[in-house]
Amino acid sequence: MKRKISIALDGPAASGKSTTARLLAKKLSYLYIDTGAMYRAATLAALRAGVDMSDEKLVEICVKENRIRLRLEMGEQITLLNDENVNSQIRTPEINSVISVLSSYAGVRREMVAQQRELAKAGGVVMDGRDIGTVVLPDAELKVFMIATLQARAQRRLLELQKNGESVTYEEVEREIANRDKLDTSRSHSPLKKAEGARELDTSNLSIEQQVKIIYNWAREITMTPPDNPLSALSGA
Ligand code: DC
């Protein structure tokens, strides 16, 4: 594929976005940007600082004072909080339980969105999150909205947490995801919703390989099509 495009992947918690986005980026030799990891690192920073999460101004100041970066190391995305690798600390039930509060704040989102646009400036990116197609990259050539049943998502997240050594039950995970769905879709700033022009992909019964293949083929179709049709310019259409 010659032309480099921007790909926006949005969807609810545990819909398979991150794994799909990472593998897709690898297949395309694109940069993968996990925006959820940035909000997670910001939440960790606020928790460590002991900031009262309901104090919007203080949370915003705390996020601005901490340096959150993403780096690729030997094919793996590393999330850095003030140069410390926090990959395993940001995927815990504690972070999950308060992240929706932090990510509902406009000032925090402004900070994150500015960084994310900067990262995507050169094109050739796969970015996943909640507001990528709607706010961060509204001009992305390919927008995908990934969905899956609550049960399929809870099952996937349970396995991920257990792999991380967390002892949680299926019921706890399902409750936490349902709660986050509600908060992510109902917040007033950049709520999770399908972007205009986004293609919907239901991953409930798809393997990761199948998801990657479907989106890869969509990307291929787009990169094979010239951006401007010279004939339409000639005909004045
Ligand atoms: O994708 P994830 O589960 O790692 O995201 C964690 C939380 O971060 C999610 O519940 C909402 C928030 N988030 C957001 O508000 N906007 C994004 N672009 C990405 C994540």
Side-chain angles (χ1 to χ4, degrees):
M1 278 191 233
K2 285 202 183 81
R3 190 154 72 91
K4 292 223 169 200
I5 60 169
S6 295
I7 302 176
L9 293 190
D10 288 302
S15 53
K17 297 182 306 290
S18 304
T19 315
T20 305
R22 183 167 42 79
L23 293 173
L24 179 69
K26 196 167 168 203
K27 207 166 152 75
L28 290 164
S29 299
Y30 278 19
L31 180 65
Y32 165 48
I33 303 165
D34 175 359
T35 64
M38 297 172 71
Y39 286 92
R40 286 174 179 278
T43 307
L44 180 65
L47 284 175
R48 281 182 175 175
V51 171
D52 173 2
M53 281 293 185
S54 63
D55 189 330
E56 181 166 357
K57 205 67 221 160
L58 272 187
V59 172
E60 190 185 327
I61 291 169
C62 174
V63 170
K64 282 191 176 142
E65 277 176 352
N66 283 274
R67 204 151 40 87
I68 295 158
R69 295 282 176 268
L70 301 176
R71 186 191 296 154
L72 204 64
E73 268 178 27
M74 293 195 292
E76 193 198 352
Q77 188 188 266
I78 309 289
T79 310
L80 298 168
L81 175 58
N82 303 319
D83 299 325
E84 174 193 350
N85 177 346
V86 290
N87 267 21
S88 54
Q89 288 97 312
I90 58 173
R91 295 182 197 284
T92 63
E94 193 191 8
I95 298 273
N96 289 345
S97 67
V98 290
I99 193 165
S100 292
V101 177
L102 174 137
S103 49
S104 71
Y105 294 150
V108 171
R109 302 204 68 84
R110 249 196 318 277
E111 186 70 20
M112 296 284 152
V113 170
Q115 284 194 32
Q116 290 156 8
R117 287 189 179 142
E118 190 60 33
L119 287 169
K121 227 166 51 183
V125 294
V126 181
M127 193 181 274
D128 81 319
R130 303 292 189 287
D131 58 343
I132 311 307
T134 52
V135 177
V136 183
L137 303 175
D139 297 329
E141 288 88 342
L142 175 58
K143 299 181 194 177
V144 182
F145 194 69
M146 293 175 70
I147 55 163
T149 61
L150 176 62
Q151 291 70 26
R153 292 185 289 130
Q155 196 57 47
R156 285 178 195 158
R157 187 49 54 92
L158 179 70
L159 289 178
E160 189 183 302
L161 288 168
Q162 284 174 340
K163 231 168 64 189
N164 250 347
E166 302 283 348
S167 72
V168 279
T169 65
Y170 173 85
E171 286 71 25
E172 283 166 343
V173 177
E174 190 186 280
R175 214 174 314 123
E176 181 266 312
I177 291 182
N179 186 41
R180 216 138 52 89
D181 280 356
K182 205 165 124 215
L183 295 168
D184 289 348
T185 51
S186 64
R187 67 181 178 217
S188 47
H189 303 292
S190 316
L192 168 68
K193 65 171 185 229
K194 188 173 160 187
E196 221 184 289
R199 305 181 193 206
E200 193 167 290
L201 183 64
D202 186 339
T203 68
S204 308
N205 297 308
L206 294 178
S207 67
I208 291 292
E209 291 72 26
Q210 288 170 322
Q211 297 169 32
V212 173
K213 196 163 172 207
I214 291 170
I215 305 176
Y216 178 81
N217 286 338
W218 285 342
R220 229 176 111 78
E221 268 171 36
I222 294 169
T223 54
M224 295 300 196
T225 313
D228 293 307
N229 182 353
L231 289 180
S232 65
L234 281 177
S235 67

